[in-house]
Amino acid sequence: MSDGLGGFFVNLTRQRINDAIAKMDAIGVVHFAPVLRAIRDGQIVCVVIKRTAGEEAMSLRHIANHPLPALIIMADDDHASSGPARFPAARKALRYARAHMIHAAGGQPSDYALAIQAAMAQRSCCLVETDAAHLDEWARFAARAALPRRVPTLLVRPTDGVHPIINGAVH
């Protein structure tokens, strides 16, 4: 169903979410499962924003009055990472969020669980998924976007200095 702003809402049933988790587990993509479980269990509402989405994709009216805490995910970790300049909705999302996680390492379920906990504790968290090359740029951008507030921010750097790994396993 379209929201009239160029975005789409997906109504996922518990069974569809359980099926998605099972399929992800079967292929070894387990990092996102905590988010799906939190949505399924009615703990959070989640908005995923890709760089192709215009500023209207971050329609605050849909999450600001929502009874559940919001996890906003900026998807800049797709082997074409660009940093915040290519995300028209980034400033609005980061300004709205009361916590930030800039994540530039291979995704682990515990990382996503931490972002969920931040959203639940602060009522909103913006998780920026990016590569190691853009981590500092996103961190500076997020800090400026939140001004005049100082927003708790967690930076997750890769332990080996690079992410993603192109020749080999990629999360």
Side-chain angles (χ1 to χ4, degrees):
M1 145 175 42
S2 174
D3 64 6
L5 298 172
F8 290 86
F9 295 99
V10 178
N11 187 8
L12 296 175
T13 64
R14 289 183 65 80
Q15 188 57 52
R16 284 185 180 165
I17 294 172
N18 288 336
D19 291 345
I21 292 168
K23 286 177 185 174
M24 290 169 59
D25 283 345
I27 62 170
V29 180
V30 297
H31 65 281
F32 202 73
V35 175
L36 292 174
R37 286 186 187 99
I39 293 167
R40 177 197 65 200
D41 297 344
Q43 295 176 311
I44 63 166
V45 61
C46 183
V47 177
V48 178
I49 299 176
K50 297 185 180 272
R51 81 178 48 80
T52 56
E55 186 175 342
E56 70 278 358
M58 185 55 213
S59 178
L60 294 180
R61 72 172 187 215
H62 296 296
I63 61 172
N65 295 322
H66 200 284
L68 296 176
L71 178 60
I72 303 160
I73 299 175
M74 289 283 159
D76 189 31
D77 187 13
D78 59 359
H79 304 288
S81 298
S82 62
R86 301 265 319 272
F87 282 79
R91 182 173 308 283
K92 187 187 258 187
L94 290 159
R95 183 164 194 70
Y96 172 79
R98 296 181 157 289
H100 298 155
M101 178 187 278
I102 315 298
H103 193 283
Q108 298 297 319
S110 58
D111 300 335
Y112 286 79
L114 189 57
I116 293 162
Q117 290 172 356
M120 292 172 67
Q122 299 290 329
R123 294 287 305 150
S124 59
C125 178
C126 185
L127 166 60
V128 177
E129 300 173 319
T130 191
D131 63 359
H134 291 95
L135 180 131
D136 292 326
E137 180 183 2
W138 271 108
R140 288 189 300 273
F141 184 87
R144 284 192 310 270
L147 288 174
R149 295 179 298 127
R150 289 183 44 156
V151 173
T153 302
L154 175 63
L155 303 181
V156 180
R157 295 185 186 278
T159 56
D160 58 3
V162 296
H163 173 72
I165 299 168
I166 302 301
N167 296 328
V170 177
H171 94 89

